[in-house]
Amino acid sequence: MEVDFGAINVSTNGTSEVVVDVWRKIGRKKKADEEAFLRDHPVTFNQDGNTVTVRSRGKTGSSWSLRGRNSNEAKYTITVPARFSAQLRTGGGSVDVADLTGEVRADTGGGALSFSHLAGPLRGDSGEAA
């Protein structure tokens, strides 16, 4: 998973399926600006064999504007089989992973990292100063 912003929550579902729930709230002064932002920052899903990729990266270099009152919120809730490896990256937002057996790599440009009941290699980077 690689997203510009938003919280990522990963847990297990007791099946062999990967289920992704995406919630995004974009606030702009004009509705047309909100629609343009969502159009320019689509969420894409791809499956190649056992690899599932979820991305939301803007087409332009920056998703922020200094004009007006803008707000961007997102939450990505993913449930996976108990044996699953995950690579998770968000430009800003928390990352929470629980109950996985497999390798977990988690990076956030700013936000909390939370891990519980993991079996396997773990690498996490919050990008925040210690």
Side-chain angles (χ1 to χ4, degrees), residues 12-101:
T12 58
N13 59 21
T15 72
S16 62
E17 295 181 342
V18 173
V19 178
V20 180
D21 181 48
V22 177
W23 175 86
R24 298 193 301 171
K25 180 179 178 182
I26 306 304
R28 298 292 186 269
K29 192 171 184 177
K30 298 178 184 175
K31 184 169 180 69
D33 293 340
E34 293 172 355
E35 292 169 352
F37 181 91
L38 291 171
R39 187 174 48 253
D40 291 342
H41 296 79
V43 178
T44 61
F45 305 88
N46 185 37
Q47 182 175 357
D48 184 12
N50 289 334
T51 301
V52 176
T53 305
V54 179
R55 282 197 175 93
S56 179
R57 305 294 279 169
K59 294 177 183 177
T60 61
S62 174
S63 62
W64 305 101
S65 171
L66 298 176
R67 293 181 286 135
R69 182 175 164 238
N70 296 338
S71 66
N72 299 335
E73 297 177 59
K75 184 173 183 178
Y76 299 86
T77 304
I78 304 128
T79 58
V80 299
R83 289 183 121 16
F84 197 84
S85 292
Q87 293 183 4
L88 312 164
R89 181 177 299 156
T90 178
S94 63
V95 178
D96 180 37
V97 184
D99 302 318
L100 289 184
T101 298

Side-chain angles (χ1 to χ4, degrees), residues 4-7 89-95 107-113 125-129:
D4 283 336
F5 63 91
R89 181 177 299 156
T90 178
S94 63
V95 178
D107 297 288
T108 177
L113 296 175
D125 183 2
S126 69
E128 296 181 335

